[in-house]
């Protein structure tokens, strides 16, 4: 087996508050292989974006990594000094944010923002950086890139701006791109194009992608594997087709059941009763147990750790614990 | 752009006409200058002769038209009190006020922006706390009290700096400057601090608030995620975005500094136009008061115009399609 590109182990992110410490991520572990697309799904507040921010070292204070480790090609990056971490950001891990309308600095031209980034990471002349920038804009599908490069962000539409953002995230050729809800703020008609673009361009450059989204449809079409987060904990992770067609965690099943399909005959979508607990009130045992139809005594007492399952899958659920035989 | 500038200039002229009307009204409604100038013993014939000489017996509209025509040429008549052309009086005093305003304005802007950026970037540091506390004093203490306190500490107790006057001056063409002599430079320190302290704290608090706002924005997060250095993020991307409101306030404050130098000039016996104005008020020297009013209005109008044009230099979003844009 090849060495993972990114390896996250027992990641724990805490927010100290006046009323005690909130644990926003608790014992999250996963790997991303080189060139792989890992989808990361979950409800709002499940910790998807926090995971991305923790990896790239941009947790907003007072949030902090309180435990676990993050390795990029075997090298720990969660303990790097700020200067060293800055060289990882952009250069080795690129990031695409949700809202292209606010991701670009309105006072600088696209050319200025791209060449600045290229020259931060590579020792090239202004002219050389500009040539690269034009080629990159051309590649992400900006028409007449050579002319439009000197436009300001407000001259571009939302979809075009997201293409510029992708160009910016990729301009130092990172090995991993974290795309945090890259299409949520876009028109439906543009969403598929942007997702395809991210997938294509990363495949072309051999970059792995961590795709954070709450859109299972996007995951199904794009990701190789998917990780499901619930209340800051990993519920299930595995190859995308297996997880979608044959979810093992009751929460994942609930998520899949809530996706409408045209071919489906049923009148009503399945919904999961209740709401995800707030970080201040995560129940004892399995975080999902109050909403779970199959919960039993143990679920209310002990917290399940992810266990390996056949087919390169992991699930954190007592239903699948090795010593339990349960229907 | 040109149409916009023209429109702003026309507006400025209108404002100046209204101010002229107010200035002119002074002649009609504020006391009887003849009584003040001649004293109790003057004969009725002498009074009438003086009225005639000062043009006080013409119809109002003629007087106003004449006032504007002369004012446009810089002729504001003859001071009742000093029997000298008003313009000459003001021009001889203006360098003192402008030097004071320029020094204290520069001081306020440089320190205000510097402290503002520092306190925004080091929000939790003890030095930031100290600066913020001191700035509260700057905002809440009245100018004359600050002036008197400074005189007490630095002139009376420590005897480091002179307590009044402008020191030795040198004539450079028509400009009488105090900045070229040792005593002149020493003399300007206390008045400049007194005059600039309030403006500095205002600019500092504004820069801090704007900076904190901008630092939370998505494009700053994205700039960090691209691995740009703190320096580039803070000063290249964040500071520039705080500048539009800061330019507005600073511009208007520069007008205020010149206009409200009156108090500081009085406290420090500074021989500027403010002191001239105060003396004129005591003697109901209306031509001087009217000219002062017009001068200050002109300064405000010009500064406003310059500020509006500076927006274009800073913010590219304002440069194109004004009609189509939301602004």
């Amino acid at each position: 087996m090849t060495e993972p590109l990114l390896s996250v182990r027992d990641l724990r992110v805490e927010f100290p508050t006046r009323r005690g410490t909130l644990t926003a991520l608790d014992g999250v572990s996963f790997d991303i292989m080189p060139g792989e697309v890992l989808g990361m799904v979950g409800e709002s507040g499940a910790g998807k974006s926090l995971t991305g921010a923790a990896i790239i070292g941009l947790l907003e204070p007072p949030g902090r990594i309180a435990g676990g480790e993050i390795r990029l090609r075997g090298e720990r990056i969660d303990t790097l000094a700020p200067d060293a971490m800055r060289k990882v950001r952009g250069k080795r891990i690129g990031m695409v944010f949700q809202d292209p309308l606010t991701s670009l600095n309105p006072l600088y031209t696209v050319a200025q923002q791209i060449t600045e980034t290229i020259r931060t990471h590579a020792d090239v002349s202004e002219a050389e950086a500009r040539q690269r920038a034009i080629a990159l804009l051309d590649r992400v599908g900006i028409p007449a890139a050579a002319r439009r490069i000197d436009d300001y962000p407000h001259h571009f539409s939302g979809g075009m701006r997201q293409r510029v953002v992708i160009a910016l995230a990729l301009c130092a050729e990172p090995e991993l791109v974290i795309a945090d809800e890259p299409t949520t703020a876009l028109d439906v008609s543009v969403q598929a194009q942007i997702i395809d673009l991210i997938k294509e361009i990363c495949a072309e450059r051999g970059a792995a992608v961590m795709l954070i989204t709450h859109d299972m449809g996007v995951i199904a079409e794009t990701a190789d594997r998917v990780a499901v987060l619930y209340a800051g904990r990993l519920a299930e992770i595995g190859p995308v087709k297996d997880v979608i067609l044959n979810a093992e965690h009751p929460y994942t099943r609930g998520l899949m059941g809530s996706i409408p399909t045209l071919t489906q005959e049923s009148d009503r979508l399945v919904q999961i009763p209740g709401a995800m607990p707030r970080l201040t009130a995560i129940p004892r045992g399995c975080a999902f147990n109050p909403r779970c139809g199959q919960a039993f005594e143990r679920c209310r007492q002990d917290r399940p750790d992810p266990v390996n399952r056949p087919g390169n899958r992991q699930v954190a659920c007592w239903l699948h614990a090795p010593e339990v035989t349960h229907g | 752009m040109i149409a916009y500038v023209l429109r702003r200039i026309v507006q400025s002229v209108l404002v100046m006409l209204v101010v002229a009307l107010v200035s002119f009204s002074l002649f009609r409604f504020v006391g009887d200058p003849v009584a003040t100038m001649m004293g109790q013993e003057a004969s009725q014939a002498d009074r009438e002769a003086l009225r005639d000489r000062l043009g006080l017996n013409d119809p109002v509209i003629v007087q106003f038209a004449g006032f504007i025509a002369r004012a446009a040429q810089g002729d504001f008549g003859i001071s009742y009190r000093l029997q000298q052309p008003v313009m000459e009086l003001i021009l001889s005093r203006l360098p003192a006020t402008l030097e004071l305003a320029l020094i204290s304005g520069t001081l306020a802007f440089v320190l205000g922006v510097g402290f503002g950026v520092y306190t925004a970037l080091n929000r939790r540091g003890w030095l930031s706390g100290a600066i913020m506390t001191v700035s509260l004093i700057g905002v809440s203490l009245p100018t004359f009290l600050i002036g008197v306190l400074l005189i007490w500490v630095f002139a009376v107790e420590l005897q480091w700096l002179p307590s009044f006057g402008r020191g030795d001056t040198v004539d450079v063409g028509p400009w009488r400057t105090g900045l070229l002599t040792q005593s002149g430079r020493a003399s300007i320190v206390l008045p400049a601090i007194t005059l600039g302290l309030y403006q500095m704290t205002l600019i500092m608090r504004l820069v801090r608030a704007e900076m904190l706002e901008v630092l939370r924005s998505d494009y700053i997060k994205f700039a960090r995620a691209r691995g740009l250095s703190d320096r580039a993020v803070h000063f290249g991307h964040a500071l520039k975005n705080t500048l539009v409101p800061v330019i507005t306030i600073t511009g208007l404050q520069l007008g205020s500094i010149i206009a409200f130098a009156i108090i500081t000039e009085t406290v420090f016996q500074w021989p500027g136009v403010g002191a001239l104005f105060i003396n004129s008020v005591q003697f109901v020297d209306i031509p001087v008061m009217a000219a002062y009013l017009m001068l200050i209005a002109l300064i405000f109008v010009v500064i406003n115009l310059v500020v509006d044009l500076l927006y274009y230099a800073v913010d590219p979003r304002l440069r194109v399609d004004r009609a189509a844009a939301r602004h």
Side-chain angles (χ1 to χ4, degrees), chain B:
Chain B
M1 172 76 188
I2 291 171
Y4 174 71
V5 174
L6 283 178
R7 202 163 58 234
R8 291 289 288 114
I9 290 176
V10 170
Q11 284 169 358
S12 307
V13 171
L14 283 178
V15 169
M16 287 311 294
L17 279 178
V18 172
V19 174
L21 185 64
V22 173
S23 298
F24 174 72
S25 314
L26 286 176
F27 289 94
R28 310 293 309 170
F29 300 115
V30 180
D32 181 5
V34 176
T36 323
M37 289 163 74
M38 303 293 281
Q40 297 292 324
E41 288 80 25
S43 71
Q44 193 60 35
D46 287 344
R47 284 167 199 267
E48 282 309 315
L50 186 59
R51 268 179 195 287
D52 246 15
R53 193 149 60 83
L54 295 175
L56 294 178
N57 289 332
D58 297 335
V60 180
I61 194 76
V62 174
Q63 285 190 40
F64 183 50
F67 175 77
I68 289 183
R70 286 191 302 276
Q73 299 161 36
D75 176 8
F76 286 93
I78 291 173
S79 160
Y80 294 164
R81 180 170 64 101
L82 300 168
Q83 298 296 325
Q84 263 177 287
V86 172
M87 211 53 199
E88 234 170 67
L89 275 175
I90 288 188
L91 284 182
S92 72
R93 304 287 199 109
L94 201 56
T97 297
L98 288 184
E99 274 177 11
L100 179 59
L102 206 71
I103 298 281
S104 68
T106 310
L107 206 69
F109 184 74
V110 171
L111 293 182
V113 171
F115 284 151
V117 169
Y118 179 84
T119 52
L121 295 182
N122 306 281
R123 201 143 52 108
R124 285 165 227 285
W126 66 269
L127 189 56
S128 299
I131 293 173
M132 290 304 288
T133 311
V134 172
S135 83
L136 208 60
I137 298 172
V139 174
S140 45
L141 280 189
T143 312
F144 68 87
L145 189 57
I146 291 171
V148 170
L149 284 176
L150 286 176
I151 289 177
W152 178 50
V153 174
F154 292 100
V156 179
E157 293 296 327
L158 296 173
Q159 307 217 332
W160 286 353
L161 297 163
S163 62
F164 70 91
R166 239 190 131 186
D168 299 326
T169 54
V170 179
D171 286 341
V172 181
W175 190 277
R176 173 164 294 182
T177 177
L179 297 178
L180 297 177
T181 66
Q182 185 68 38
S183 69
R185 280 193 295 267
S187 298
I188 206 168
V189 174
L190 292 184
I193 292 175
T194 307
L195 187 55
L197 194 62
Y198 175 77
Q199 324 293 341
M200 186 205 84
T201 52
L202 198 72
I203 292 173
M204 176 191 126
R205 284 172 169 267
L206 182 73
V207 169
R208 178 178 180 273
E210 288 291 328
M211 191 85 177
L212 286 176
E213 182 82 31
V214 169
L215 285 176
R216 273 196 295 269
S217 68
D218 285 353
Y219 54 83
I220 293 301
K221 233 191 323 178
F222 189 44
R224 286 193 205 284
R226 282 182 278 145
L228 302 184
S229 66
D230 281 351
R231 202 189 149 86
V233 171
H234 294 157
F235 297 100
H237 287 265
L239 187 58
K240 195 173 177 189
N241 274 283
T242 66
L243 282 185
V244 166
V246 173
I247 287 175
T248 316
I249 297 296
T250 308
L252 293 179
Q253 290 305 314
L254 187 62
S256 312
I257 285 181
I258 297 171
F260 304 126
I262 294 174
I263 294 168
T264 306
E265 289 187 5
T266 308
V267 171
F268 287 93
Q269 295 292 299
W270 190 260
V273 282
L276 176 71
F277 176 74
I278 286 289
N279 290 331
S280 307
V281 169
Q282 278 159 5
F283 287 91
V284 201
D285 195 347
I286 292 166
V288 176
M289 289 157 66
Y292 180 78
L293 195 61
M294 296 282 286
L295 175 76
I296 296 300
L298 184 68
I299 289 172
F300 266 97
V301 164
V302 169
I303 287 175
N304 261 316
L305 195 61
V306 171
V307 164
D308 279 355
L309 297 182
L310 270 182
Y311 289 164
Y312 280 90
V314 174
D315 195 336
R317 282 167 295 186
L318 299 175
R319 276 178 226 155
V320 277
D321 331 318
R322 267 195 67 86
R326 291 172 297 276
H327 300 275

Side-chain angles (χ1 to χ4, degrees), chain A residues 56 58 60 86 89-90 95 97 99 102-108 113 116-117 120-121 152 154-155 165 168, chain B residues 216-219 221-222 224-230 232 235-238 240-241 314-317 319-320:
Chain A
I56 203 166
L58 287 178
E60 301 223 0
R86 188 151 53 234
R89 283 201 287 269
M95 187 134 187
F97 287 102
D99 190 350
T102 56
S103 289
L104 299 169
N105 190 330
L107 302 188
Y108 291 102
Q113 301 191 46
E116 180 187 23
T117 312
T120 300
H121 297 292
Y152 286 92
H154 69 272
H155 293 122
V165 169
L168 272 163
Chain B
R216 273 196 295 269
S217 68
D218 285 353
Y219 54 83
K221 233 191 323 178
F222 189 44
R224 286 193 205 284
R226 282 182 278 145
L228 302 184
S229 66
D230 281 351
F235 297 100
H237 287 265
K240 195 173 177 189
N241 274 283
V314 174
D315 195 336
R317 282 167 295 186
R319 276 178 226 155
V320 277

Side-chain angles (χ1 to χ4, degrees), chain A residues 59-137:
Chain A
L59 281 175
E60 301 223 0
R64 60 189 171 89
I65 296 178
E69 55 182 52
I70 302 169
R71 289 175 185 273
L72 185 65
R73 289 208 185 275
E75 180 203 3
R76 272 193 85 160
I77 57 169
D78 54 321
T79 49
L80 282 181
D83 265 343
M85 190 58 208
R86 188 151 53 234
K87 296 204 174 76
V88 172
R89 283 201 287 269
K91 177 76 184 152
R92 300 184 63 193
I93 306 179
M95 187 134 187
V96 175
F97 287 102
Q98 176 173 345
D99 190 350
L101 301 182
T102 56
S103 289
L104 299 169
N105 190 330
L107 302 188
Y108 291 102
T109 64
V110 167
Q112 286 167 332
Q113 301 191 46
I114 301 186
T115 53
E116 180 187 23
T117 312
I118 291 177
R119 297 191 70 194
T120 300
H121 297 292
D123 185 20
V124 296
S125 69
E126 185 71 37
E128 164 75 16
R130 190 180 163 87
Q131 279 314 310
R132 284 196 200 178
I134 292 173
L136 199 56
L137 285 181

Side-chain angles (χ1 to χ4, degrees), chain A:
Chain A
M1 202 169 131
T2 50
E3 187 198 23
L5 171 66
L6 183 85
S7 175
V8 176
R9 285 290 166 273
D10 279 326
L11 181 63
R12 183 181 174 89
V13 170
E14 291 181 348
F15 284 85
T17 68
R18 216 172 291 171
R19 283 174 297 167
T21 303
L22 297 181
T23 306
L25 283 181
D26 195 354
V28 172
S29 302
F30 61 90
D31 289 335
I32 300 181
M33 293 296 158
E36 182 187 42
V37 180
L38 176 74
M40 174 101 20
V41 290
E43 294 168 56
S44 307
K48 310 182 297 277
S49 296
L50 270 183
T51 310
I55 291 170
I56 203 166
L58 287 178
L59 281 175
E60 301 223 0
R64 60 189 171 89
I65 296 178
E69 55 182 52
I70 302 169
R71 289 175 185 273
L72 185 65
R73 289 208 185 275
E75 180 203 3
R76 272 193 85 160
I77 57 169
D78 54 321
T79 49
L80 282 181
D83 265 343
M85 190 58 208
R86 188 151 53 234
K87 296 204 174 76
V88 172
R89 283 201 287 269
K91 177 76 184 152
R92 300 184 63 193
I93 306 179
M95 187 134 187
V96 175
F97 287 102
Q98 176 173 345
D99 190 350
L101 301 182
T102 56
S103 289
L104 299 169
N105 190 330
L107 302 188
Y108 291 102
T109 64
V110 167
Q112 286 167 332
Q113 301 191 46
I114 301 186
T115 53
E116 180 187 23
T117 312
I118 291 177
R119 297 191 70 194
T120 300
H121 297 292
D123 185 20
V124 296
S125 69
E126 185 71 37
E128 164 75 16
R130 190 180 163 87
Q131 279 314 310
R132 284 196 200 178
I134 292 173
L136 199 56
L137 285 181
D138 198 45
R139 176 61 194 90
V140 296
I142 305 277
R147 189 166 49 77
R148 300 221 57 192
I149 191 170
D150 288 314
D151 283 350
Y152 286 92
H154 69 272
H155 293 122
F156 292 89
S157 67
M160 284 295 154
R161 279 193 228 187
Q162 196 62 308
R163 289 172 193 268
V164 172
V165 169
I166 291 168
L168 272 163
L170 286 166
C171 67
E173 313 239 316
E175 301 156 87
L176 171 66
V177 173
I178 300 174
D180 188 354
E181 310 241 5
T183 57
T184 307
L186 298 175
D187 281 351
V188 181
S189 55
V190 189
Q191 287 182 358
Q193 294 174 13
I194 294 294
I195 289 290
D196 285 349
L197 175 68
I198 292 177
K199 198 177 172 182
E200 262 175 47
I201 198 169
C202 290
E204 195 174 287
R205 282 148 198 263
V209 181
M210 178 172 149
L211 181 63
I212 298 168
T213 179
H214 54 251
D215 186 340
M216 282 308 297
V218 167
I219 295 281
E221 284 168 35
T222 318
D224 300 314
R225 286 191 306 140
V226 59
V228 181
L229 278 182
Y230 184 80
R233 300 168 184 185
L234 199 65
E236 181 165 7
I237 183 168
V240 74
K241 199 176 277 176
D242 299 342
V243 172
I244 287 180
L245 296 179
N246 180 25
E248 294 194 316
H249 197 288
Y251 174 64
T252 318
R253 272 204 293 273
L255 265 190
M256 301 307 154
S258 59
I259 304 169
T261 53
L262 289 174
T263 50
Q264 203 169 291
E265 294 287 316
S266 65
D267 324 323
R268 248 189 104 88
L269 291 171
V270 184
Q271 56 178 29
I272 308 173
M276 196 172 69
R278 282 188 300 187
L279 293 178
T280 45
I282 294 179
R284 200 175 149 191
C286 173
F288 188 58
N289 85 69
R291 302 171 73 188
C292 182
Q294 292 162 277
F296 53 101
E297 196 46 38
R298 192 171 189 188
C299 303
R300 292 178 200 103
Q301 298 303 326
D302 303 324
R303 185 181 153 186
D305 284 322
V307 291
N308 288 320
R309 301 281 297 159
N312 191 21
R313 302 175 68 171
Q314 285 189 317
V315 61
C317 178
W318 289 125
L319 290 173
H320 302 283
E323 69 269 35
V324 177
T325 46
H326 197 286

